Amino acid sequence: MFDPAAWIQAARPLAQINIALPLLLGQAMAFAVLGRFSVGLLYCAGVFGTLAQLVIVFVNDFADRETDAHNTTFSRFSGGSRVLPEGRLAPATLRLAALVMLAVFVLFCVVLAVVSRPWAPAFALATALLVWAYNHPPLRLAYRGHGELLQGLGIGVVLPLAGYYLQAGTLAGFVWPALVPLLLLGYVGNILTALPDAPSDRASDKRSYPVRRGQWVARRHALELLAMAAAMSSWVLPGLSLLGTALVAAPALVMAAMAVPLLGSADAENRTECERFVLLTAGAGHLLVLVWGLVLVLRGLW
């Protein structure tokens, strides 16, 4: 029996912010450079991001099904969608859905290539390769370690480039240094979503960042890398003065500072504080990207 609620749960709508923001930032960068913007192409980028997310979350849930089944410290931001541990969907069904979404994703990008964006399939291929390397042998870096680098590449490199290209039709004028702080933010995002899952990851020998480095060190590094990305605001916004950098970074750093008192106590076993730490730190990263995007839009309007 088809259960719409189960599929909505499997799609993890809250996770879309991780996909949508870098795509939007890439498009804001294109607007700042070119001074033009297409709502139709914005819609196309939205479809691209939605399909990419469905591929990612369905594949991740299937690949992590055994680990998630023993996870008792999951949160709204981690531990998968829970449709498999709860028995709402069968693993084979979710695997089939992942393959179907991948086919639709590739087909959509092929159509874009035929119509106006010949390199669109390259971004679908890059996304698929990163998802495969993250979840499946022989690399399976989510379990072998350093999967956070793949997420950094996906969220911080592939998606901003895809957003820029889909809106501009070219990568000419792209601010390449921007990829460094964006990669850092994607890296931080993986650390944060792994924090609540540390006990079950350790039990299943999944070598996530908190398992390899310890939860306290992982929390500290997440905040430090976020601060580094904020300090690199001029890499995203060329010509930004030192004062401008401070003003742009301030809202995110204030939010991140609210997570500092939780550094010593927000272990996964303390679910309330762990979730609060993740929410504040991830929110600070999202806020930083939003401020960057706003400044880019203002530059485009000027």
Side-chain angles (χ1 to χ4, degrees):
M1 179 178 176
F2 179 71
D3 184 355
W7 285 106
I8 293 173
Q9 181 179 331
R12 301 187 68 183
L14 282 175
Q16 177 58 209
I17 191 171
N18 298 317
I19 306 293
L21 282 180
L23 279 172
L24 288 170
L25 183 70
Q27 293 176 85
M29 293 173 72
F31 178 60
V33 171
L34 303 174
R36 65 174 187 270
F37 193 84
S38 167
V39 175
L41 293 172
L42 171 67
Y43 174 78
C44 288
V47 174
F48 178 98
T50 300
L51 293 173
Q53 177 187 338
L54 292 175
V55 172
I56 292 167
V57 296
F58 290 171
V59 171
N60 285 354
D61 264 11
F62 181 79
D64 288 340
R65 61 193 182 279
E66 294 181 5
T67 301
D68 290 345
H70 300 95
N71 190 341
T72 60
T73 58
F74 59 87
S75 71
R76 288 174 290 176
F77 317 107
S78 66
S81 69
R82 312 304 299 167
V83 293
L84 296 184
E86 293 170 5
R88 303 194 67 182
L89 293 175
T93 302
L94 197 61
R95 180 177 183 272
L96 177 61
L99 293 173
V100 170
M101 286 300 103
L102 178 60
V104 174
F105 183 37
V106 172
L107 179 61
F108 175 74
C109 289
V110 169
V111 172
L112 282 178
V114 171
V115 173
S116 63
R117 296 292 184 264
W119 288 102
F123 293 103
L125 177 61
T127 301
L129 287 174
L130 289 172
V131 172
W132 167 77
Y134 189 84
N135 290 290
H136 297 293
L139 296 179
R140 208 187 188 199
L141 295 187
Y143 281 79
R144 295 180 62 189
H146 305 290
E148 57 276 356
L149 178 59
L150 294 183
Q151 182 165 322
L153 290 171
I155 290 178
V157 177
V158 174
L159 290 178
L161 287 172
Y164 188 99
Y165 176 75
L166 291 174
Q167 187 62 230
T170 177
L171 290 178
F174 186 85
V175 181
W176 295 99
L179 296 180
V180 177
L182 287 168
L183 187 148
L184 289 179
L185 291 179
Y187 196 99
V188 167
N190 187 272
I191 295 175
L192 293 174
T193 55
L195 281 168
D197 300 337
S200 60
D201 286 349
R202 186 180 300 108
S204 61
D205 199 29
K206 182 178 182 180
R207 294 176 54 77
S208 65
Y209 200 94
V211 170
R212 300 196 317 272
R213 307 302 296 270
Q215 295 186 59
W216 186 85
V217 172
R219 289 192 295 271
R220 192 193 78 197
H221 286 178
L223 288 173
E224 290 172 347
L225 291 172
L226 174 62
M228 288 175 60
M232 295 178 184
S233 291
S234 62
W235 295 32
V236 181
L237 307 167
L240 193 67
S241 66
L242 185 59
L243 175 61
T245 297
L247 292 174
V248 165
L253 293 179
V254 168
M255 180 174 283
M258 296 170 65
V260 172
L262 302 171
L263 264 174
S265 58
D267 282 350
E269 294 80 2
N270 188 343
R271 295 180 70 178
T272 300
E273 288 200 3
C274 182
E275 184 168 309
R276 180 170 171 78
F277 180 88
V278 172
L279 181 62
L280 286 169
T281 310
H286 296 329
L287 182 58
L288 181 62
V289 174
L290 283 171
V291 173
W292 287 344
L294 177 60
V295 174
L296 288 165
V297 168
L298 290 175
R299 285 186 173 185
L301 291 173
W302 291 336

